Amino acid sequence: MTKKPAPSRLGKTQPGDGRRQSVRVVQVGTSILSALAALGGSATLSELSASVRMPPSKAHRYLKALIGSGFVEQDEATGYYRLGVEALSVGLAALAGIDVISIATAHIATLSAQVNETVILSIWANKGATVVHVKEPQRRVTVVTRIGSVLPLLSSASGLVFAAHLPAEESKATTRNTSKQAAAVLEERLRAVRAKGVAAVESLFFPGIDAIAAPIFDAAGRIAAVITVLGPATSFDASIDGKTARQVISTAAAVSARIGYKPP
């Protein structure tokens, strides 16, 4: 019997090659878009190629394709590349679909388990810092804070964080009915909250209950919500440099990153 020659593999395209190539093209294209966003939304060809570690000639080919699809534009006067209308549309659609409460819930559950204390999430509503989510620990002794509760602006950790990061026109309302001396003291405290990234109170709003709170920022750098840990004064570490404070700050930062915030 005459043996048939084995088919040569040279020059043959394997079934999965096209799909892998398509995936690779998408990966490179999105990496260029990410680099452009990281560079402030506008950059030169050399800056982009260096950022994605790609020869300028190759980066240029991808940029031409992205320009054709509307995801990138090129300034005719300067030659700079910038994000196009389609990229902006996708970004706005993503922002519109973000639900900070849903995203924060899983992070809050993890934080509550770590610190074994009650953790609450509050947002700024018409009446002030309003509790929208509560996660209590497994142990028997818990701090009961109901959803819908409105926390005082200047005597709760949550309120102080909001006061420290509210727009100027709203923050002025916090000192409207106080003396100049009291207003100066308050402003100094709010500066400390902004500098440290956390506010702490000891038995100020809830008798016998201490609290530590940190802000969640949105993609525009505005305060979107506040995460607060509550615990009994007899055992709770309310120091702004303590382990609990670091965990609250870390959790708030993780949620902020998830909803699009990038620190300056």
Side-chain angles (χ1 to χ4, degrees):
M1 182 181 291
T2 306
K3 292 179 93 178
K4 292 182 180 180
S8 173
R9 295 184 181 181
L10 296 176
K12 289 243 181 194
T13 301
Q14 297 302 310
D17 286 352
R19 289 192 295 271
R20 284 195 291 269
Q21 180 63 22
S22 296
V23 170
R24 176 61 181 163
V25 168
V26 172
Q27 289 174 334
V28 175
T30 54
S31 70
I32 290 175
L33 289 173
S34 296
L36 189 52
L39 290 168
S42 179
T44 64
L45 175 60
S46 59
E47 288 172 336
L48 279 169
S49 60
S51 181
V52 296
R53 299 179 181 178
M54 182 186 298
S57 58
K58 184 177 180 181
H60 184 257
R61 289 198 301 272
Y62 277 95
L63 285 165
K64 285 183 66 176
L66 289 168
I67 289 172
S69 62
F71 279 86
V72 172
E73 297 173 351
Q74 186 176 22
D75 190 302
E76 293 182 2
T78 64
Y80 275 62
Y81 295 92
R82 59 174 177 257
L83 293 173
V85 174
E86 290 299 323
L88 296 176
S89 297
V90 171
L92 290 172
L95 289 175
I98 288 174
D99 183 348
V100 65
I101 299 174
S102 297
I103 291 171
T105 297
H107 292 271
I108 286 173
T110 300
L111 177 61
S112 180
Q114 289 174 341
V115 300
N116 198 28
E117 302 289 359
T118 299
V119 182
I120 66 173
L121 179 73
S122 55
I123 63 171
W124 187 254
N126 291 335
K127 294 183 179 180
T130 305
V131 177
V132 293
H133 180 70
V134 178
K135 178 61 179 177
E136 295 187 342
Q138 294 298 317
R139 60 188 176 83
R140 291 184 178 181
V141 180
T142 60
V143 178
V144 179
T145 303
R146 292 184 299 177
I147 292 176
S149 299
V150 179
L151 304 173
L153 194 62
L154 303 180
S155 59
S156 68
S158 303
L160 284 168
V161 172
F162 274 113
H165 296 284
L166 285 171
E169 61 272 16
E170 293 187 57
S171 62
K172 288 179 181 177
T174 64
T175 59
R176 186 171 296 162
N177 299 317
T178 59
S179 66
K180 289 184 178 180
Q181 183 177 3
V185 171
L186 174 60
E187 182 52 38
E188 181 63 29
R189 183 169 192 184
L190 296 182
R191 276 198 295 269
V193 171
R194 288 189 286 268
K196 292 289 187 179
V198 66
V201 299
E202 298 180 7
S203 302
L204 188 59
F205 177 51
F206 295 109
I209 300 298
D210 294 348
I212 295 179
I216 295 171
F217 297 108
D218 64 18
R222 298 169 301 206
I223 185 167
V226 173
I227 294 178
T228 306
V229 176
L230 306 170
T234 53
S235 59
F236 187 71
D237 178 11
S239 60
I240 60 175
D241 296 317
K243 181 179 179 181
T244 300
R246 292 193 298 272
Q247 290 172 308
V248 176
I249 292 172
S250 175
T251 301
V255 178
S256 296
R258 179 64 181 80
I259 64 174
Y261 175 68
K262 293 185 178 181

